[in-house]
Amino acid sequence: STQFRRLRALASVPEEHYVASMCSKPFKGQSGQGGKSGALFLKTHDERYIVKTIADHEFDCLRDILPNYLMYLEENRASLLSRFYGAYALTIGHSTLRVVVMGNCLMGAQSQVYDLKGTTEDRWVDPVQHSVLKDTNFSPYTILLEAGRVDQLRRVIQDDAEFLECCGLMDYSLLVGVASSADASVD
């Protein structure tokens, strides 16, 4: 769709690079578990994109909010929202598989990945059995940021949350990747 092309252009993703990532080699195996949804996560061979299976109602919801999502990201370039670059439906016989393509915000080696929702209710998983940990697993740790960065991060998260609320979406989280200091990026 034109809107997905605009989203890719907004992220400086040339169409030929997107097509090469998606089509030139097989996807890499499952990347983590889909939580309660049971979604399958795949990575493109170059790890630039995550392909996630989604339910019909999620596909419909993305289609419905896409114009507002595009406008929001055009006006809020610092947003922490997932970047959706495509949505596809594959029908074989009477079965339809729906997927979204998202930018991989955690490229490179991560020693730990946390899916933080801001609550501790049912937010712990066994680290041996799960590659993505939750809020209670993260509770012993603290993230230290400069004061200006804290205010900036708080503003971005608040704006993102308000946008999602306006769209009627209330189930969201912050994905945090922790890399060793040798692999860490300053941004």
Side-chain angles (χ1 to χ4, degrees):
S1 95
T2 302
Q3 292 171 325
F4 283 119
R5 280 191 195 91
R6 286 177 57 193
L7 285 165
R8 292 190 293 267
L10 186 63
S12 301
V13 175
E15 287 300 307
E16 60 274 10
H17 292 178
Y18 178 75
V19 170
S21 291
M22 293 294 295
C23 301
S24 66
K25 293 184 182 175
F27 296 123
K28 293 183 177 186
Q30 191 166 342
S31 164
Q33 300 297 318
K36 292 178 183 175
S37 73
L40 175 67
F41 289 78
L42 301 169
K43 290 182 185 177
T44 56
H45 68 93
D46 56 8
E47 298 192 6
R48 291 181 187 274
Y49 307 103
I50 302 290
V51 178
K52 176 187 175 190
T53 58
I54 59 172
D56 294 356
H57 73 277
E58 293 171 309
F59 192 87
D60 295 340
C61 178
L62 179 58
R63 183 192 60 229
D64 292 345
I65 70 163
L66 194 57
N68 292 331
Y69 171 78
L70 172 60
M71 188 179 345
Y72 179 78
L73 291 180
E74 287 174 336
E75 295 171 0
N76 297 274
R77 301 292 295 265
S79 169
L80 295 174
L81 294 178
S82 295
R83 296 310 199 261
F84 294 105
Y85 296 131
Y88 305 94
L90 172 65
T91 302
I92 299 173
H94 298 290
S95 297
T96 301
L97 176 69
R98 289 177 170 73
V99 299
V100 291
V101 179
M102 303 176 287
N104 182 2
C105 63
L106 296 178
M107 287 183 60
Q110 305 293 320
S111 57
Q112 296 290 336
V113 176
Y114 296 89
D115 176 15
L116 305 177
K117 290 190 179 280
T119 182
T120 55
E121 186 176 335
D122 194 30
R123 297 296 297 161
W124 184 87
V125 294
D126 183 347
V128 175
Q129 296 179 8
H130 294 86
S131 59
V132 178
L133 306 177
K134 297 185 179 185
D135 298 68
T136 307
N137 300 96
F138 188 77
S139 64
Y141 306 107
T142 302
I143 298 175
L144 299 175
L145 300 170
E146 297 171 6
R149 290 275 225 189
V150 170
D151 293 338
Q152 177 187 22
L153 183 59
R154 186 177 291 126
R155 233 181 352 267
V156 168
I157 290 172
Q158 183 173 343
D159 290 347
D160 286 353
E162 288 173 2
F163 168 74
L164 293 172
E165 184 178 13
C166 286
C167 293
L169 304 172
M170 295 305 296
D171 183 17
Y172 48 87
S173 56
L174 180 66
L175 193 63
V176 175
V178 179
S180 69
S181 58
D183 298 330
S185 169
V186 176
D187 296 332

